[in-house]
Amino acid sequence: MTIQGLNVGVIGGSIAGCAAATALSRAGCNVEVFERSSKGLTDRGSGIAIPGQLRADLMERGYLPRDFPNCEMKTRWWQFPDNTTQGRRLWTQATPAFANNWGNLWRALRRNVPTDNYHEGRRLSDFTETETGVVAQFHDGEARNFDLLIGADGYHSVVRSKMHPQAKPEYAGYVLWRGNYPEAEVDDKSLIDAIDTDFAWLTVPFEGGHGVLYMIPDLDGSNMPGHRRVNWAVYAPCPMAQQLNGIESVPPGAVEKAAFVEFQRLLNDDFPKAIRDLIAHTRHEDVSIQPIYDSVVDTYTSDRTLLIGDAGTMARPHTASGATKALEDALSLEDLAGTVDDLAELLARYDAQRCAQAKTLSQIGRRIGRAQVLETPDWGTMSSADFEDWHKAIMSGDTLYLYGETA
């Protein structure tokens, strides 16, 4: 079966789903996207990073407009609390990347999918592969026939759970606190001005975790100083006062007051004042908690089904590769679709390329989590040379763009 003219159903209308739809539409497929949310995808502007080469490729190939707003990142300052306002610099690490606003990235990709081909409020309940295609069953009772079904439905993937019923997400033992707010709300911008001069972002290591802070474009795309968003995240043990519901994140507005007090205590005890103040400015009701999980599968494809992005593999956020992985999956799909002779070859070559790479990425994330959260070193005693050796041990010969390597 040739690729051109295939009827493709994409389950999930987020970044992965829109990118996959664009890729296969360009290959001549008839693509429809089914998003379970009936209210449209919204986001308060969470920060995500992508490597520079991927950004350039997405613009060159028309996935993103050439004026798509980013905030460039070149260096990572590891700041240790030492009773000074900004802390003591332990290490300056090369980290070439571009920070993005999730909402802006999704909206840019969503515009590539025709409105008539993007269906909201459509939740997949089941699917069955046949000799001639795949039948997708939706919660509203409708059944649709496709030549190919793509699971782009994230870490809750119904498609993955049907393909790999034994593959269950594994809790890593800690959580990620998140928050962001408009830069215009900051009164003392001295630290922000300092990191701007070096295109830097901040990491504060402490026993049992670390926090990061960087600037991202605002929801309207503004990326000039004074008009961006302050974005931060802190890895730490789960607060005792917060009950987790499995893999589900605790959204803004649902974090227990007592848990937030625990978080404030952590900031007071382990963060330099200037960085603590920037994080603590976030209102309680705007803070979320993400439990960290791993999920890896042995294959991304079956006879008529394919996984993309987090639906395939969940890598820890340390790798800053959630969106990157999905976008690279999509570009791989487009490239392969232009060179293979039939669907079977497309699935086989895509699986060989993307599943193995995702497994490596997951392993990197586990090593970073162990070294930077679960088994942290005596940070204050480390020299720059110690950090370099420590970093090499974590990477174990693998490469990752956020650690000064080409993705």
Side-chain angles (χ1 to χ4, degrees), residues 65 167 176 296 314-315 355:
L176 180 61
V296 179
M314 290 168 53
C355 188

Side-chain angles (χ1 to χ4, degrees), residues 302-366:
S302 59
D303 290 344
R304 295 279 183 166
T305 311
L306 174 154
L307 299 174
I308 185 171
D310 286 345
T313 295
M314 290 168 53
R316 300 188 193 183
H318 307 292
T319 63
S321 295
T324 293
K325 174 163 51 66
L327 293 167
E328 289 179 341
D329 286 348
L331 293 181
S332 176
L333 266 182
E334 182 184 358
D335 291 340
L336 291 172
T339 60
V340 300
D341 294 325
D342 55 34
L343 177 58
E345 185 181 2
L346 171 67
L347 294 172
R349 291 181 60 182
Y350 173 81
D351 189 41
Q353 282 187 14
R354 302 308 302 163
C355 188
Q357 186 166 341
K359 287 181 179 180
T360 298
L361 187 64
S362 176
Q363 292 167 358
I364 294 173
R366 290 171 187 258

Side-chain angles (χ1 to χ4, degrees), residues 172-175 206-210 235-237 316 318 367-377 379 390:
Y174 56 94
V175 302
F206 54 87
E207 183 179 357
H210 65 280
Y235 295 91
R316 300 188 193 183
H318 307 292
R367 293 198 300 267
I368 296 174
R370 183 169 58 251
Q372 297 185 14
V373 181
L374 298 175
E375 300 174 10
T376 50
W379 301 105
W390 175 74

